[in-house]
Amino acid sequence: MSTRLWHPFSDMAAVDGNEFVVDRAEGVWVYDEDGRRYLDGCASLWYANAGHGRQEIVQAAMAQMGKLEAYSCFADIANRPALELAERLAALAPVDDAKIFFGSGGADAIDTAVKLARAYWQARGEHHRVHVVSRETGYHGTHGFGTSITGIPPNREGWGVLPGENTVAPLHDLDGVEKVFAEVGPERIAAFVIEPVTGAGGVHLPVEGYIEGVAELCRRHGVLLIIDAVIAGFGRLGTWFGIERFGVRPDMITFAKGVTSGYLPLGGVVVSGEVAAPWWTTPGERTLRHGPTYSGHPTCCAAGLATLDVYERENLIPRGQELENTLFEALAPLVQHSYVHEVRAGLGLLAAVELEPEVLSSVPDAPNALLRGARKAGVLVRGLGKGVAVSPPLIITEEEIGLLAEAIRAGLDSLPVDAPVPAAPGA
């Protein structure tokens, strides 16, 4: 049967009439309409950090909807959940004198942060500072600025002219970043936007000293540092915002996904007091003419508050670090499989298994073929450009991490590879 639903990031000609329909979920398990159970190896889309079926989050949202389901936060209007969530997030964030600007998700947050960076310099009278630097494999959502600064070329192509004044720096090369700064002119750069660990671009872990070096480079040249913690935050790297593991205090942090564990759409930007100052200092002087309709949505914020309660009560945030070696040890043996080019893991509860070039050229849509093979073995993983990624809920057990690795191996064994593939080292 044909579908009317247009799926994001999907080949609809292939998807049409062939959907995998999810029916319900509980804990780390997802069930299809036939009642078959699957381990959620990707926390849906990097966000179900607290797991599925958390009734305290559901009840908090229901109670808020019964009292005040939604209302604007424009001008001087506020609601108690938005005020309280902003207070809690500001206290948790490694940002000086933090202010919280809410939106509906990560893409909203990135566009807000980039616009704020550019507007900050305009307010300071440095009108030439409009350039934004990002890095290869970085994914920053699909709104205007997020599409423009992405480090994933296929996501940037095919749209015509995008917002300009952007440069993508090399992935792990700090000298390359310095070269970009020198070529553009640091006096023209508004901000550097970076994920601590790139997510959708392939789960690339930073080399030692890279994040700290970027932060120092930004400080030296007065460039604002924006940390994209949409995936890295809320326990995925074992801390509240991920960036704490590098000892860096950025000017802004974008967040979403895990802030509600995906129960309702919510995202935002943590903004330093320095960056916020042009709009917070003198009444009547300046208004930020920016903001989505659902900024500070009371029901979404109530879900966020309940989610933070779960994280704190069950001490879930550190598990992203506590389980990182377990995940690495479970997946590392897959590199011996002749179809596997690389396994990237060991920093946070996320990882990627990249396929050999010969497999990618031999098997049509090889990453999704691997995804389907793992699904047949009872585990849901995330297809990426050259392989698959995993990012399970923080409540996953070590035994369940073992099941995840076994299913990926089964998916690898199921690939219809025609071309000869060199044996993996040590195989």
Side-chain angles (χ1 to χ4, degrees):
M1 175 182 286
S2 183
T3 182
R4 299 292 183 181
L5 175 63
W6 196 331
H7 298 245
F9 281 91
S10 301
D11 176 357
M12 286 309 302
V15 168
D16 191 14
N18 297 298
E19 287 139 315
F20 169 70
V21 182
V22 174
D23 182 60
R24 61 188 180 90
E26 186 71 26
V28 298
W29 299 98
V30 172
Y31 298 80
D32 66 19
E33 286 191 318
D34 295 324
R36 187 179 179 197
R37 189 175 78 159
Y38 305 84
L39 179 67
D40 187 358
C42 48
S44 183
L45 199 64
W46 320 88
Y47 60 66
N49 295 7
H52 303 283
R54 292 281 189 170
Q55 288 305 304
E56 54 265 65
I57 303 176
V58 174
Q59 293 301 320
M62 289 177 60
Q64 183 58 47
M65 290 188 77
K67 182 179 182 181
L68 175 69
E69 78 294 349
Y71 212 85
S72 162
C73 279
F74 282 34
D76 64 344
I77 303 171
N79 62 78
R80 189 53 55 188
L83 290 168
E84 291 181 2
L85 184 58
E87 195 70 30
R88 287 179 68 174
L89 292 173
L92 293 168
V95 172
D96 297 331
D97 188 22
K99 312 290 191 277
I100 309 295
F101 193 102
F102 285 121
S104 299
D108 276 5
I110 285 292
D111 268 31
T112 296
V114 171
K115 288 178 72 175
L116 269 175
R118 291 168 57 128
Y120 168 77
W121 294 113
Q122 299 303 301
R124 290 273 303 262
E126 298 191 42
H127 304 296
H128 44 282
R129 278 194 185 260
V130 294
H131 205 93
V132 178
V133 179
S134 55
R135 66 169 176 160
E136 290 176 351
T137 77
Y139 174 80
H140 304 293
T142 55
H143 287 0
F145 279 113
T147 300
S148 182
I149 68 173
T150 185
I152 307 172
N155 289 4
R156 198 170 54 244
E157 298 164 355
W159 308 108
V161 178
L162 294 168
E165 295 285 352
N166 309 305
T167 300
V168 177
L171 176 60
H172 296 308
D173 184 359
L174 189 56
D175 289 339
V177 176
E178 293 207 56
K179 183 179 179 183
V180 167
F181 273 46
E183 290 175 348
V184 174
E187 73 284 352
R188 294 181 52 231
I189 300 175
F192 191 111
V193 184
I194 185 172
E195 295 174 279
V197 175
T198 66
V203 189
H204 292 274
L205 282 56
V207 297
E208 186 175 356
Y210 178 84
I211 301 294
E212 299 90 334
V214 164
E216 174 56 31
L217 183 64
C218 289
R219 277 193 297 270
R220 194 188 324 149
H221 293 293
V223 172
L224 298 180
L225 177 61
I226 301 173
I227 295 299
D228 183 343
V230 170
I231 287 174
F234 302 99
R236 186 57 55 193
L237 298 191
T239 64
W240 283 104
F241 292 92
I243 192 60
E244 297 95 328
R245 294 196 63 172
F246 305 92
V248 168
R249 296 183 71 82
D251 298 289
M252 287 185 268
I253 300 176
T254 62
F255 64 88
K257 295 189 184 293
V259 68
T260 66
S261 196
Y263 280 67
L264 284 172
L266 181 66
V269 186
V270 184
V271 186
S272 72
E274 167 61 29
V275 173
W279 296 275
W280 284 66
T281 304
T282 306
E285 181 178 357
R286 186 175 284 109
T287 296
L288 181 69
R289 304 194 68 80
H290 169 85
T293 296
Y294 300 115
S295 180
H297 191 287
T299 302
C300 296
C301 289
L305 287 166
T307 303
L308 297 192
D309 289 343
V310 170
Y311 290 148
E312 290 175 341
R313 184 178 68 247
E314 299 183 16
N315 200 29
L316 291 180
I317 296 300
R319 284 182 64 78
Q321 184 169 2
E322 293 166 0
L323 292 172
E324 64 189 16
N325 287 331
T326 301
L327 181 62
F328 173 76
E329 290 168 1
L331 296 178
L334 294 177
V335 81
Q336 302 299 324
H337 196 289
S338 61
Y339 296 171
V340 174
H341 175 70
E342 185 180 20
V343 172
R344 293 187 290 274
L347 178 61
L349 193 60
L350 72 173
V353 177
E354 183 174 321
L355 296 167
E356 286 283 4
E358 293 85 356
V359 175
L360 293 168
S361 61
S362 173
V363 179
D365 197 14
N368 283 321
L370 175 54
L371 177 157
R372 290 188 291 270
R375 181 192 295 168
K376 188 175 181 180
V379 172
L380 305 181
V381 297
R382 169 99 165 103
L384 296 177
K386 296 182 179 180
V388 296
V390 297
S391 56
L394 300 174
I395 61 172
I396 195 170
T397 65
E398 293 189 10
E399 180 182 2
E400 289 161 347
I401 288 175
L403 296 176
L404 191 158
E406 291 173 12
I408 295 177
R409 183 177 293 278
L412 289 164
D413 291 340
S414 73
L415 291 176
V417 179
D418 295 326
V421 179

